[in-house]
Amino acid sequence: MTHKITLIPGDGIGPEVTKATVRILEATGLKFEWETFQAGAEAYEKYHEYIPKELLDSIDRNRVALKGPVTTPVGGGFASINVALRKKFELYANFRPIRNLPHIPTRYPDVDLIILRENTEGLYSGIEHEVVPGVVESLKIITEKASTRIARFAFDYARKNGRKKIHAIHKANIMKMSDGLFIRCSRNVSKEYPEITYGEHIVDNTCMQLVMNPYQYDVLLLENLYGDIISDLCAAFVGGLGFVPGANIGDQHAIFEAVHGSAPDIAGKNMANPTAVLRSSLLMLRHIGEHEAALRIRNALEKVYRDREKLTRDVGGKAGTSEFADHIIEAMQTADIENAAQSSRA
Ligand code: NAI
C-alpha cells in the first residue's frame, strides 16, 4: 500500500528537517507518495497566493499532511499560514507530547506530559482591528462549541491512553466571561469521566508550578494562546524546541508539525535538529496505522541518543542534520539485522 501524504517543507530550517525526516520514513520500506507544496512567502512568489489552492486541495484529498515550519512576519505582512490551515480544516486539537529522550541534558528527567491546546479560536486567532488611530482591539473569541469539543477530545484521549489527571488552565479570575466559559465547558465534560481526576489552575500559577514540579501534571488542557506559550516552556524540560513534536487534529484531516519555528538564525547551515519533525512524523505513522514502523524509528532514535556520538549541535554534538538522519537509518538497519539473526537462531 502506498500512503499519499501532502508535504509542506516550509522555509528556514523547514526544508532541511523535513528532507531528513522523509529519508528516514522511506528507509522503513513503507511506500509513500509525497505531494509537495510551498506555503507562505515562497508560495507567493510562484503562485501569488500564500496558501495555493493546489495545496488546500491536496490536504483535502489526502487528509494527512507533514509540515515544516513557515515564517510569519512580525507586526505586519501576511497572516500566519499555520493559523489559516488549522482554521480551514477545523484542526481543533493541537496535541503535543512532552517526553525526554535518553541523555539529553535536562533538569527534569522522566517528564511525561501531554499538552492539548484548542487550536481554532481564542486570542491567538489574531482577529484585530484599529478602532481609531492609536487604538487597536484584539478579539478573544471563546465558544461553547469549541471549548466542549477540545475538552471531550482531551478526556477521550486520557481514557483511551490510561491518563489519570487533566488540568484545565485559565485566567477566569480576570477574563471571567471568556475563560469562565472555557472552564465551565471543561468542568461539564469532566463529569462524564469520573475515573479521571479533574483540576483547574490559573495560567500564571501554572508556569510557576511547572517549573517547580512538572511531575504534578499529566494532561494540560488549554485555550489557544496559553497552549502556545506553555508548550515552549515545557519544551525546555526535554532539551528545547528541537525535541517537541505536534499534531493538529480534526475530525477529517490532520497536519503533523514540530512545535518549533523556522529558526532563521541557523537556516541553511545543516545545523538544525530534525528530531521534533521526526517525532511528529511518528505521530503521523500511528495516525495512519503504521505502528510497527513508528516503533522501529523510535527505537533507532533512542539508540542514537543513548550512544551520544552522533548528535546535532543544539545538544552538544557535531553532526549535521543530514548526518544525524544517516545515523538513525543506520541504527534502524542494524537493529533489523540483529532481529533477523535472533529470529533465525530461535
Ligand atoms: P524558533 O522555534 O524558530 O527558534 C527559537 C530558537 O530555537 C532559535 O534559537 C532556534 O535556532 C532554535 N531552534 C528551533 N528549532 C530548532 C531545531 N530544530 N534545531 C535546533 N535549534 C532549533 O522560534 P522563533 O525564532 O520565535 O520563530 C521564527 C519564525 O518561525 C517566526 O516567523 C515564527 O512565526 C515561525 N514559527 C512557525 C511555526 C510553524 O510553522 N509551526 C511555529 C513557531 C514559529
Side-chain angles (χ1 to χ4, degrees):
M1 179 188 178
T2 301
H3 295 290
K4 267 196 177 182
I5 312 266
T6 305
L7 179 68
I8 309 166
D11 51 48
I13 59 169
E16 299 164 70
V17 289
T18 49
K19 186 175 168 198
T21 298
V22 164
R23 278 181 50 220
I24 297 165
L25 290 173
E26 292 190 336
T28 61
L30 291 178
K31 297 269 171 289
F32 294 97
E33 191 180 322
W34 303 101
E35 293 185 356
T36 306
F37 294 91
Q38 294 302 339
E42 288 183 10
Y44 193 80
E45 275 175 26
K46 196 165 160 195
Y47 298 98
H48 297 286
E49 279 175 305
Y50 291 108
I51 308 182
K53 184 176 176 309
E54 289 86 341
L55 165 59
L56 296 177
D57 291 346
S58 170
I59 298 176
D60 205 17
R61 242 187 348 262
N62 298 332
R63 298 187 173 229
V64 178
L66 181 63
K67 177 179 164 298
V70 177
T71 304
T72 309
V74 174
F78 59 90
S80 163
I81 301 303
N82 313 310
V83 173
L85 287 174
R86 292 167 191 171
K87 278 193 190 162
K88 163 83 187 162
F89 292 106
E90 289 256 340
L91 307 174
Y92 59 87
N94 188 312
F95 173 80
R96 295 174 164 182
I98 309 283
R99 293 196 187 102
N100 300 87
L101 274 163
H103 296 308
I104 298 303
T106 172
R107 295 176 188 191
Y108 304 90
D110 304 321
V111 171
D112 182 7
L113 254 179
I114 301 294
I115 296 183
L116 267 170
R117 157 183 173 195
E118 202 294 320
N119 221 9
T120 59
E121 57 181 32
L123 200 52
Y124 193 91
S125 307
I127 306 169
E128 301 182 315
H129 60 269
E130 190 174 57
V131 183
V132 290
V135 182
V136 167
E137 203 169 48
S138 187
L139 301 179
K140 172 162 176 161
I141 310 287
I142 298 284
T143 64
E144 188 177 333
K145 180 181 163 216
S147 304
T148 303
R149 185 169 64 173
I150 189 67
R152 197 167 296 290
F153 187 99
F155 278 92
D156 279 343
Y157 173 82
R159 179 172 274 173
K160 281 191 203 124
N161 292 278
R163 295 276 171 174
K164 304 276 181 270
K165 266 191 293 188
I166 295 186
H167 281 87
I169 308 304
H170 65 94
K171 189 80 187 173
N173 50 332
I174 304 299
M175 281 164 274
K176 293 177 194 294
M177 291 185 74
S178 52
D179 282 18
L181 176 59
F182 183 80
I183 50 169
R184 250 194 337 277
C185 295
S186 308
R187 211 177 286 160
N188 283 342
V189 172
S190 77
K191 292 181 188 142
E192 297 168 35
Y193 299 78
E195 78 279 21
I196 297 163
T197 308
Y198 172 70
E200 292 166 359
H201 279 178
I202 292 178
V203 63
D204 37 352
N205 174 35
T206 306
C207 294
M208 190 272 291
Q209 295 289 347
L210 276 164
V211 174
M212 297 288 279
N213 174 18
Y215 307 104
Q216 66 185 296
Y217 294 112
D218 188 0
V219 177
L220 295 176
L221 168 60
L222 308 106
E223 67 83 78
N224 210 341
L225 182 64
Y226 306 150
D228 181 47
I229 295 167
I230 296 267
S231 298
D232 275 30
L233 189 159
C234 291
F237 298 151
V238 296
L241 283 167
F243 291 92
V244 183
N248 301 286
I249 302 170
D251 290 332
Q252 305 293 331
H253 305 86
I255 300 182
F256 297 83
E257 64 179 341
V259 169
H260 66 70
S262 54
D265 50 336
I266 55 168
K269 297 181 180 163
N270 195 30
M271 277 170 68
N273 186 346
T275 300
V277 175
L278 181 62
R279 283 177 130 186
S280 307
S281 80
L282 301 189
L283 300 177
M284 180 187 84
L285 287 182
R286 294 195 192 99
H287 181 82
I288 60 175
E290 295 291 359
H291 297 273
E292 196 191 319
L295 189 64
R296 282 172 63 210
I297 297 177
R298 196 193 75 184
N299 289 343
L301 179 69
E302 289 189 353
K303 181 172 185 320
V304 169
Y305 276 102
R306 260 196 315 275
D307 292 350
R308 279 199 221 189
E309 283 167 30
K310 313 282 167 65
L311 301 182
T312 46
R313 285 164 201 253
D314 54 323
V315 281
K318 292 198 177 101
T321 312
S322 49
E323 269 176 282
F324 179 77
D326 293 340
H327 294 306
I328 292 176
I329 294 169
E330 210 177 285
M332 199 159 55
Q333 288 164 350
T334 312
D336 289 347
I337 293 166
E338 284 167 5
N339 289 343
Q342 263 178 12
S343 54
S344 69
R345 275 199 297 276

